[in-house]
Every structure is written in structure tokens, then in C-alpha cells.
Amino acid sequence: MRAAFFLAFNALLSACFNDETISGYLDGTVSWQLEELDAQAFTERATLTFPEKGRIAGQGPCNRFFGRQSAPYPWFEASALAASRMACPALAEEARFFEALQAMGIAEISGDVLILSDDSGRRMVFSAVR
């Protein structure tokens, strides 16, 4: 009985706190389109969304994907990525997109621009699509 009380109390307490991940700072209905990867225009279509606390989702050049993002803003950590398995001519670009997304460690939001970066200087620049 006591354990059940503490579990319920912890669940209630955690619901009272704001979302400290990037999803708490962004509109979950906005899609972010990749414009630039490592200082070069990204010519394929790739998007990223933050549909709910600790979750990411989107569309790579070929496949839809989803995963986790639980680091508190401004940190970023994409993990447990899973994607559909459709083939298309842009699979190499999709692999670059997924690899870069998982390497990013910092997020910066400025209006309709989202920049993900890492300590080595890699950057992904996204623009909001409403």
C-alpha cells in the first residue's frame, strides 16, 4: 500500500513540472525542415518535429522516423531512432541526416530557425514550416 502511494505521489509530482526538453519550448504542431547540413545546402526533404515531451519524429528523404529526446534544453540528444524501411534514390542522404541528427548535442532556437550543433562544429539548420 505504501509503495503504491509513493508511486502515485511521484507521478502526480512529475506532472506538475514543466517540460524542460526542447519540446517544452516549441510548438508541437510545427515541422522543422532541414535547410543546411555542415555548412552545405541539404537538397533532399527532411523534417523534424517535437510532438510531445521527450519525443521526436519526422520524415527523412525516404522514411518516416521517431525517437527519444530527453535532454533538458539547450542540450539535445536524439536516441532510440526507428524508421520505416522504404527504399528510394536518396538513401545515402537519409543516412547522413540520421547520423548527423544523432551526433548533435546543443539546440538553439531563434524565431523560425532551429540550429542543432555539436562540439566539433557540425551544424544542422532547420526552418519552421507552418
Side-chain angles (χ1 to χ4, degrees), residues 9 56 68 74 84 94 96-97 110-111 123:
F9 179 75
I56 60 174
R68 286 190 225 138
S84 54
E94 181 164 276
R96 275 185 64 222
F97 170 68
S110 181
R123 287 173 29 125

Coordinates of all heavy atoms in Angstrom, one line a residue, residues 9 56 68 74 84 94 96-97 110-111 123:
F9 N 2.2 9.4 -5.9 CA 2.7 10.7 -5.5 C 3.8 11.2 -6.5 O 3.7 12.3 -6.9 CB 3.2 10.7 -4.0 CG 3.7 12.0 -3.6 CD1 2.9 13.0 -3.3 CD2 5.1 12.2 -3.5 CE1 3.4 14.3 -2.9 CE2 5.6 13.4 -3.1 CZ 4.7 14.5 -2.8
I56 N 10.8 12.8 -30.5 CA 11.0 13.5 -31.8 C 10.4 12.6 -32.9 O 10.2 11.4 -32.7 CB 12.5 13.7 -32.1 CG1 13.3 12.4 -32.1 CG2 13.0 14.7 -31.1 CD1 14.7 12.6 -32.5
R68 N 13.6 9.3 -29.3 CA 13.5 10.0 -28.0 C 14.5 11.2 -28.0 O 15.5 11.2 -28.6 CB 14.0 9.0 -26.8 CG 12.9 8.0 -26.5 CD 13.3 7.3 -25.2 NE 13.1 5.9 -25.5 CZ 13.9 4.9 -25.1 NH1 14.9 5.2 -24.4 NH2 13.6 3.7 -25.4
P74 N 19.2 23.7 -23.2 CA 19.5 23.7 -24.6 C 20.3 22.5 -25.1 O 20.7 22.5 -26.3 CB 20.4 24.9 -24.7 CG 21.2 25.0 -23.5 CD 20.2 24.5 -22.4
S84 N 10.8 3.7 -40.8 CA 10.2 2.8 -41.8 C 11.4 2.3 -42.7 O 12.5 2.8 -42.6 CB 9.1 3.4 -42.5 OG 9.5 4.6 -43.2
E94 N 19.7 10.2 -46.6 CA 19.0 9.9 -45.4 C 19.9 9.4 -44.3 O 19.8 9.8 -43.2 CB 17.9 8.9 -45.7 CG 17.1 8.5 -44.4 CD 15.8 7.8 -44.8 OE1 14.8 8.5 -45.1 OE2 15.8 6.6 -44.7
R96 N 23.0 10.2 -44.0 CA 23.7 11.4 -43.5 C 22.9 12.2 -42.5 O 23.4 12.6 -41.5 CB 24.1 12.3 -44.7 CG 25.4 12.0 -45.4 CD 25.7 13.1 -46.4 NE 25.9 14.4 -45.8 CZ 25.5 15.5 -46.3 NH1 24.8 15.6 -47.4 NH2 25.8 16.6 -45.7
F97 N 21.6 12.3 -42.8 CA 20.7 13.0 -42.0 C 20.5 12.4 -40.6 O 20.7 13.0 -39.6 CB 19.3 13.1 -42.7 CG 18.2 13.6 -41.8 CD1 18.2 14.9 -41.3 CD2 17.1 12.8 -41.4 CE1 17.1 15.4 -40.5 CE2 16.1 13.3 -40.6 CZ 16.1 14.6 -40.2
S110 N 15.8 30.4 -32.6 CA 15.8 31.8 -32.8 C 14.6 32.1 -33.8 O 14.8 32.0 -35.0 CB 17.1 32.4 -33.3 OG 17.0 33.8 -33.5
G111 N 13.5 32.4 -33.3 CA 12.3 32.7 -34.1 C 12.0 31.4 -34.9 O 11.7 30.4 -34.3
R123 N 26.8 21.3 -37.8 CA 25.6 22.1 -37.6 C 24.5 21.6 -38.5 O 24.8 21.2 -39.7 CB 25.7 23.6 -37.9 CG 26.5 24.3 -36.8 CD 26.8 25.7 -37.2 NE 25.9 26.4 -38.1 CZ 25.3 27.5 -37.8 NH1 25.5 28.2 -36.7 NH2 24.5 28.1 -38.7

